Amino acid sequence: MKLPHHVHLLAHAKLRRIRALVWKETHQVLRDPSSIAIGVILPLILILLFGYGLSLDVKNVPIAVVVDQPTAEAMELVASLQLSPYFKPRLLRAMPPAQELLLAHAVDGIVRIPADFSRHVGAGDAQVQLIVHGGDANRARIIQGYVQGALGAWSARQAAQGQQAAAVPVSVQTRLWFNEADNSSYFLVPGLVVLVMTLIGGLLTAMVMAREWERGTLEALLVTPVRSDEILLGKTLPYFLLALIGFALCVLSARFLFHVPLRGALWVLLSASMLYVLVALGIGLLISSWVKNQLVASQLTMLVTFMPAFMLSGFLFDLRSTPAAVQVISYALPARYYVALLQTVFLAGDVWSVIVPNTLALAAMAAALALGSRAAMRKTLE
Amino acid sequence: MNARAPALVAQQLHKRFQRKDESPVQALHGVSFEARYGELTALVGPDGAGKTTLMRLAAALLHVDAGSLSVLGIDIASDPQQVQDRISYMPQRFGLYEDLTVQENLDLYADLHGVSADGRAQRYPALFDMTALGPFRSRLAGQLSGGMKQKLGLACTLVRSPELLLLDEPTVGVDPISRRELWDIVRQLVAEQGLTVVLSTAYLDEAERCSHVILLHQGKVLSQGSPQQVAAMAAGHCFVAVPSAQQSARALQARLLDEPDVVDAVPDGGRVRFVRAAVGKPAVIEHALEGLAVDPVLPRFEDGFMMLLRTAVERERLPPISVTRPVAGHAGHAVVQVQRLLKKFGAFTAVDHISFEVRRGEIFGLLGPNGAGKTTTFRMLCGLLVPTAGQLRVAGADVRSASASARARLGYVAQKFALYGPLSVLENLEFFASAYGLRGERKRARIAWATQQFELGEHLRTTSSQLPGGYKQRLAMAAALLHEPEILFLDEPTSGADPLARRSFWRRITALADQGVTIIVTTHFMQEAEYCDHIAIMDSGQVLSQGSPAEVRQRARTQARPEPSMEDAFIAVVEQARAAQAAA
Amino acid sequence: MLDSLLRILALTRKELLAVLKDKRSRLSLLIPPVVQALIFGYAATYDLNHVTYAALDQDHSAASRQLLAAVDGSGVFERVADLQRASDIATYIDARRALLVLQINQNFERQLLSGRGADLQVIADGRNSNTAGTAIGYVGSVVEQFNAAWGGDHGWTPPPVQLVSRAWYNPNLETRWFMIPGMIGTLTLIQTMMLTAMSVAREREQGTFDQLLVTPFRPYEIMAGKALPSMLVGTIQATGVLLVAQLWFHIPFEGSYLTLYAGLMLFLLAAVGIGLLLSSVAATMQQAMLYSMLLIMPFSLLSGLTTPLSSMPDWLQYLTAINPLRYAIDITRRVYLEGTGLNLLLSDLWPLCLLAALSLSGASWMFRHRMQ
């Protein structure tokens, strides 16, 4: 019975070393204002910005309405534009001033009702001109849709007055699943979670190993009974917990501030997030123990984690429409899988056909990174 | 454990480093030595000798290229972790976590070494007692003075009794008082607990206190043995000369150094101690010693060391340093005047109403333990800090309102030779030349002068961060002298420099002073105070004693110590003042 | 005056050497903006060119086939499945195998022929509601064309009014045209600001800052010597992105280079000023870097690059007034796409001037203040 006791002692010593390293790291985090800034303040700022600031909704679009001849039909059309909640029309009598407004970005588009409008309405071949500012293509397209809609409403009223039969052969009926009300915080919140997790996981850890190298603290640490996996664990755990706090903040604000539903199970969301944090931590640690220089480490981490999480994860832009090369890159990035998981668990529920493959991908990445960090973290100075 | 086998056995060690974009460096070249249990073994040698590489190899932080190294009977190549489990190692730049408190740093290492609660209860009081860190338990390590940091670093390696303690230059940048305290701790542990210690050092007086010394030079063992054996190599070669009334010890030392027969000469207590290559009474160099009293003295470790080193390295014969522009004004005219200078940081008084004067062409030494206020004073003199109160005139101008043109008359060498690491030597020189407004022909001429004076020619294209320590110091000096300043400020210029580099540094400094450049220097090496015309000893922001080195020594004379060395005088002055303060 | 200028030049040269001498740091400054412009140029688009959909045709008629053929023929849609039952819809949408399901009910053709009109049901995956909305819009325009063709063949009266739509400056309404010019500012901001903030922090950490202060350098010369190299690096990065936009993505440049670079200079000056301000607050390189991150993120989110400023609540729009990137993006887009001249850009230029002046004078005050 001697051996088990011995093994027990060894395990005990190991646990104690890990606990000591975790405490040390936690103290350092708590005493460094800049870590707090990145770990707590920045997530809060992001939550506020995402909740209140970012929106792709188009409302109150300033447009110029040029009426060459104010006939009854033309004025009715103008009225229907004025009634639309989407527009803030400015009535003008000639094109040149309207064009100037467009050039100066005072309006986003010009609706022109030509002089012979009423006559052509009678003949059934009337035209209304729309010039949109094409700079922001997404917005331009939405404006086109709104003007079309306002015209439709006008036609329907005309039809109701018995002047025209206004039906079209096929009309499109749409249903937006998971987000019936087309609420943009529904799709921004998953993105928010990704950014916050990436930030805490990647950026903070990228600096910590490099900092130990630069300050010379690692040399003394290495010549102790500490094993390299213990150093790694000691570095990972505090930031893991910090990331979970950030996660809790995000989920709470999603639920109670922005009223985004959580249709899947919380444990699924939590486990997926923990996996992603591990991956982000792994990337940070790997970069950090590889470059040994805080400046380069932080820039590199910014490049490989944060920017892709924003641009290449599919939370804002649809990845299916990118060229094959970019898609291949996106498959190598963990954010892609996490966004898919978040969108599904938050909005669609526990769809296992989405959850299982994406979770597996994250798990594989986490395992590979753990092995990689372990290999990079040798106990020598060479 | 087999007490017969040595604690550390190195056999034919080779280690080579591959540098980026440059030829590899052979750091160790067939090094063999042993360190016995229960003894203090020292690795001594100039910069680049391979001391740190050896230490790191012994700590299993580097791989051996060829040869074998066994520590505590374990081959480090086969089981590095077991070695690291059983030894303690204090690197040169000890990695204290500056954002943890003293207690937290200790606890961390106690946990890592698996020290039980009982073990701590026993050990901590002893450690706090030894290091006198008890009152500072809850202070952040980053806020400790250099000496206290070093003591805490040592305490962290001693949270349990290691089977072998490795200390890599443990006293670099530490003031004499802290240095003595640190040594007391180590010696006490060796004597009372039979601790085995291997340390590296550039201080030769420290090596003298070890039982076994290994002299390293450029990766090879020059010699090894007891300090007495090393000292004995200079037996019959050592003398002391007393300068004449008109002559300063510094001037005599400089003259002696120019003699081909003289291996080494240093000013020592108002006299000059020198070592000759030939044995016997110095008849050959009589013209330098005409009519002076010359007495043979017993050799010290340092003398033996210098003898040995001279056999390995040809002594550099410095071209006499020349200032192309004669410094205006006559000697004796005060160029720095400090009156009741006060500096407070919040409630803390860093410099407390100090006054002194420095005359043209003088070397003025500012001495004091870490945290005495030397650097703060220095920074005010250079215009880097604004005094809270008091008068401060440098080169005739009030520094507080000093214009850029006034600053052009000052040269400044910062503590860690603040150079631009990524830039080459030449680029650094060019930058500082332009910064001081030199251009065209004059800029070229001055850079050529600096290159020649400081022998930087072969390193002009080397990236500064890759320069060996001695060259960094030379480059920093060269950069500060490009614009021919009237006053040169040097903040601990010799900290961490090896004995050879220190000697050539002072040779240059004395030459500059002889040509009218005023020099203000801070140092931790008390022997170096002997080079100064005037010194001021500071502690807790106050000047405790000032005057010529002889005067300061004189004042510290007691019955027990009729002829105190500069270091004795310094420690006595500071301890008296501290005792008086504690009593008050 | 000449001395002062020469000192600034010496410092600029030194900074550039320090940054560009090392191959790794040289590459880390020049490559990322160009690579990011390339990747994000492809990725950052709201346009869809590949919409997966599943068809649930319960009518199996000529008309329904004709409609679906029109959808398939548009080049944007890819039919991934033909569903048999309505219960399959959830399978495809939930698992993200199709973005849309187009459902045609049983009496589709009969209703069309009877002249009453029929419905096309579109079920969209709303997890990314923006993408879904765009895809639905695409279905709408396919249906519109189908209606025109069907109406003409079967004698339907055309709608009384037709909308003739034109888009200025971006006739094909490509998001890329909008995104990439905006990136000229965004991609340069990150490194320019960090570079400046860290270069002072590095000197402080390594002790060379004291060395600088005891030389005849005046504070404003040090600031100028720190600002110029960063601005130069920023200009080179911006040029890199500009070249990607023109030579790789072939987005026509309508404006004057002089105007563009004038605007960029002002922007870089403001960015560098903020970087200097940060560096005067930060004690270490790590702090400098984290504080710049703390600013860069809100700056880039609230710049109008990805989401329009006009959709933000008013209080936030006011807050963006201190964001130099917001003005830079407006300037680069308008000069690039519309050829806008300086006179119309005044509303962007004067806030940049003000930001530059405020941050630079703040930084120089801090520099002097920290010497106490």
Side-chain angles (χ1 to χ4, degrees), chain A residues 92-336:
Chain A
L92 293 169
R93 297 299 303 273
M95 267 315 260
Q99 285 174 351
E100 260 170 47
L101 284 177
L102 189 66
L103 205 59
H105 281 232
V107 294
D108 284 339
I110 305 171
V111 176
R112 186 185 186 188
I113 306 172
D116 49 5
F117 178 70
S118 297
R119 191 158 48 80
H120 281 287
V121 168
D125 61 350
Q127 285 191 341
V128 169
Q129 251 181 35
L130 168 66
I131 299 170
V132 287
H133 195 293
D136 187 343
N138 195 48
R139 188 175 168 84
R141 220 177 272 123
I142 293 171
I143 294 172
Q144 283 181 347
Y146 289 164
V147 173
Q148 188 80 55
L151 273 186
W154 175 80
S155 302
R157 268 204 303 283
Q158 296 285 311
Q161 288 164 18
Q163 298 194 356
Q164 283 288 338
V168 286
V170 179
S171 29
V172 177
Q173 306 289 328
T174 52
R175 283 191 57 205
L176 205 53
W177 277 19
F178 314 128
N179 187 2
E180 304 284 346
D182 197 3
N183 187 336
S184 66
S185 52
Y186 276 36
F187 92 94
L188 287 172
V189 161
L192 164 72
V193 182
V194 173
L195 290 190
V196 170
M197 297 288 103
T198 310
L199 211 62
I200 302 178
L203 215 58
L204 280 181
T205 43
M207 319 269 300
V208 294
M209 280 311 282
R211 188 164 46 187
E212 295 242 7
W213 279 106
E214 276 184 7
R215 294 193 183 164
T217 43
L218 200 62
E219 201 176 332
L221 198 62
L222 289 181
V223 190
T224 63
V226 139
R227 308 299 194 262
S228 47
D229 55 340
E230 295 163 8
I231 297 182
L232 280 178
L233 258 179
K235 288 277 165 205
T236 318
L237 267 174
Y239 296 97
F240 186 75
L241 292 176
L242 193 61
L244 288 189
I245 294 173
F247 172 76
L249 274 179
C250 289
V251 173
L252 286 177
S253 55
R255 193 70 200 82
F256 298 106
L257 217 53
F258 311 130
H259 309 288
V260 175
L262 176 57
R263 297 194 174 117
L266 187 62
W267 71 266
V268 177
L269 188 66
L270 186 65
S271 3
S273 302
M274 283 161 102
L275 263 183
Y276 180 73
V277 170
L278 281 183
V279 173
L281 286 170
I283 295 177
L285 279 177
L286 196 62
I287 290 178
S288 189
S289 43
W290 179 49
V291 298
K292 299 178 187 171
N293 170 318
Q294 292 188 60
L295 178 64
V296 183
S298 57
Q299 296 217 344
L300 211 59
T301 314
M302 180 89 179
L303 281 181
V304 301
T305 61
F306 187 75
M307 290 308 276
F310 193 58
M311 301 294 246
L312 288 178
S313 63
F315 106 78
L316 204 52
F317 306 111
D318 191 61
L319 284 171
R320 279 170 287 212
S321 295
T322 56
V326 176
Q327 289 197 40
V328 169
I329 296 174
S330 79
Y331 277 110
L333 299 169
R336 174 195 179 114

Side-chain angles (χ1 to χ4, degrees), chain B residues 243-580:
Chain B
S244 64
Q246 304 85 28
Q247 200 179 23
S248 67
R250 198 171 77 206
L252 177 62
Q253 179 241 0
R255 276 205 68 180
L256 280 171
L257 271 183
D258 289 338
E259 294 294 334
D261 179 42
V262 172
V263 171
D264 186 32
V266 284
D268 182 22
R271 298 173 303 177
V272 178
R273 187 187 173 97
F274 66 98
V275 183
R276 291 185 60 219
V279 197
K281 217 117 152 93
V284 201
I285 49 174
E286 248 161 16
H287 58 281
L289 298 164
E290 240 168 27
L292 301 180
V294 177
D295 296 311
V297 283
L298 285 177
R300 288 190 300 210
F301 174 79
E302 185 167 352
D303 303 322
F305 175 81
M306 291 307 283
M307 287 288 288
L308 269 171
L309 217 50
R310 287 303 175 215
T311 58
V313 227
E314 183 56 26
R315 190 170 91 213
E316 42 173 356
R317 296 281 164 194
L318 287 180
I321 201 159
S322 59
V323 180
T324 49
R325 184 176 63 186
V327 177
H330 43 84
H333 175 73
V335 284
V336 175
Q337 289 168 296
V338 175
Q339 269 165 24
R340 298 191 55 73
L341 188 65
L342 173 74
K343 180 70 195 177
K344 285 186 164 188
F345 297 104
F348 172 68
T349 309
V351 171
D352 192 2
H353 297 100
I354 63 167
S355 307
F356 60 84
E357 250 184 29
V358 184
R359 280 188 275 279
R360 185 170 306 284
E362 254 186 3
I363 302 181
F364 182 83
L366 209 48
L367 320 176
N370 299 106
K374 294 187 311 264
T375 302
T376 310
T377 309
F378 226 69
R379 294 172 61 82
M380 286 191 282
L381 289 174
C382 301
L384 289 170
L385 270 179
V386 181
T388 312
Q391 286 284 314
L392 185 58
R393 293 184 77 76
V394 174
D398 186 345
V399 195
R400 234 188 286 200
S401 55
S403 60
S405 58
R407 265 182 274 146
R409 295 155 74 185
L410 313 181
Y412 174 65
V413 179
Q415 217 171 79
K416 281 173 232 144
F417 317 128
L419 301 161
Y420 293 103
L423 269 59
S424 73
V425 169
L426 183 60
E427 285 159 352
N428 263 301
L429 289 175
E430 282 177 342
F431 170 68
F432 283 106
S434 306
Y436 281 105
L438 303 181
R439 50 180 187 266
E441 187 48 47
R442 190 160 147 69
K443 179 171 162 183
R444 263 194 301 282
R446 290 305 296 167
I447 291 177
W449 169 86
T451 312
Q452 186 241 334
Q453 286 292 332
F454 292 92
E455 293 170 89
L456 294 165
E458 56 175 317
H459 285 293
L460 274 184
R461 312 255 158 231
T462 311
T463 308
S464 308
S465 55
Q466 311 247 334
L467 281 176
Y471 278 94
K472 278 187 189 157
Q473 185 222 53
R474 285 195 218 171
L475 173 57
M477 285 268 287
L481 285 170
L482 282 171
H483 61 297
E484 298 172 80
E486 292 166 35
I487 308 176
L488 184 60
F489 290 93
L490 300 150
D491 198 1
E492 288 182 23
T494 49
S495 171
D498 65 62
L500 291 184
R502 287 212 302 270
R503 278 167 177 73
S504 47
F505 166 82
W506 280 105
R507 182 82 188 84
R508 289 190 171 96
I509 288 297
T510 50
L512 279 171
D514 288 344
Q515 293 178 56
V517 179
T518 310
I519 297 184
I520 300 181
V521 63
T522 65
T523 180
H524 275 150
F525 289 90
M526 288 304 127
Q527 312 94 294
E528 293 183 352
E530 302 281 359
Y531 290 100
C532 301
D533 296 297
H534 213 88
I535 57 172
I537 295 179
M538 286 187 75
D539 191 32
S540 323
Q542 288 168 324
V543 172
L544 301 179
S545 181
Q546 61 174 318
S548 71
E551 286 165 6
V552 170
R553 269 198 319 271
Q554 185 105 21
R555 267 175 238 149
R557 193 176 284 177
T558 57
Q559 286 213 309
R561 249 202 206 101
E563 275 198 37
S565 71
M566 200 63 209
E567 182 151 349
D568 296 333
F570 173 83
I571 292 172
V573 166
V574 172
E575 284 184 345
Q576 259 171 37
R578 286 187 181 174

Side-chain angles (χ1 to χ4, degrees), chain B residues 156-219:
Chain B
C156 286
T157 62
L158 293 172
V159 286
R160 45 103 216 221
S161 296
E163 291 171 51
L164 169 68
L165 178 60
L166 299 174
L167 303 172
D168 193 6
E169 304 209 18
T171 52
V172 165
V174 173
D175 66 75
I177 294 181
S178 310
R179 202 154 71 95
R180 207 180 58 173
E181 289 167 351
L182 214 65
W183 264 94
D184 286 345
I185 298 174
V186 174
R187 279 200 298 195
Q188 188 190 344
L189 288 168
V190 173
E192 290 172 8
Q193 303 182 13
L195 191 68
T196 312
V197 182
V198 175
L199 61 84
S200 70
T201 182
Y203 289 87
L204 299 176
D205 57 328
E206 290 182 352
E208 209 160 0
R209 299 177 203 168
C210 300
S211 46
H212 190 73
V213 179
I214 293 115
L215 287 175
L216 286 170
H217 181 65
Q218 293 182 341

Side-chain angles (χ1 to χ4, degrees), chain B residues 343 379 382-386 404 407-408 412 414 418-420 422-424 427 430-432 434-436 439, chain C residues 2-3 6-7 10-11 13-14 17-18 21-22 203 206-208 210-218 371-372:
Chain B
K343 180 70 195 177
R379 294 172 61 82
C382 301
L384 289 170
L385 270 179
V386 181
R407 265 182 274 146
Y412 174 65
L419 301 161
Y420 293 103
L423 269 59
S424 73
E427 285 159 352
E430 282 177 342
F431 170 68
F432 283 106
S434 306
Y436 281 105
R439 50 180 187 266
Chain C
L2 180 66
D3 278 342
L6 285 174
R7 275 196 294 267
L11 191 53
R13 176 168 178 269
K14 182 225 93 182
L17 271 175
K21 219 180 158 201
D22 175 42
E203 295 225 20
Q206 297 178 350
T208 47
D210 285 352
Q211 196 79 57
L212 266 191
L213 290 175
V214 295
T215 60
F217 274 109
R218 295 178 177 87
M371 276 175 60
Q372 294 307 308

Side-chain angles (χ1 to χ4, degrees), chain C residues 289-346:
Chain C
M289 125 99 201
L290 290 180
Y291 291 147
S292 13
M293 296 284 307
L294 207 56
L295 275 188
I296 287 171
M297 255 175 236
F299 275 0
S300 44
L301 287 176
L302 294 179
S303 62
L305 179 71
T306 46
T307 63
L309 288 174
S310 55
S311 301
M312 293 173 192
D314 287 343
W315 62 270
L316 211 56
Q317 289 194 36
Y318 293 128
L319 214 63
T320 61
I322 59 157
N323 180 0
L325 188 56
R326 163 201 164 160
Y327 306 108
I329 286 181
D330 199 50
I331 291 172
T332 47
R333 276 179 182 160
R334 289 173 70 183
V335 173
Y336 196 111
L337 296 175
E338 303 162 34
T340 311
L342 278 177
N343 52 334
L344 280 174
L345 293 172
L346 280 179

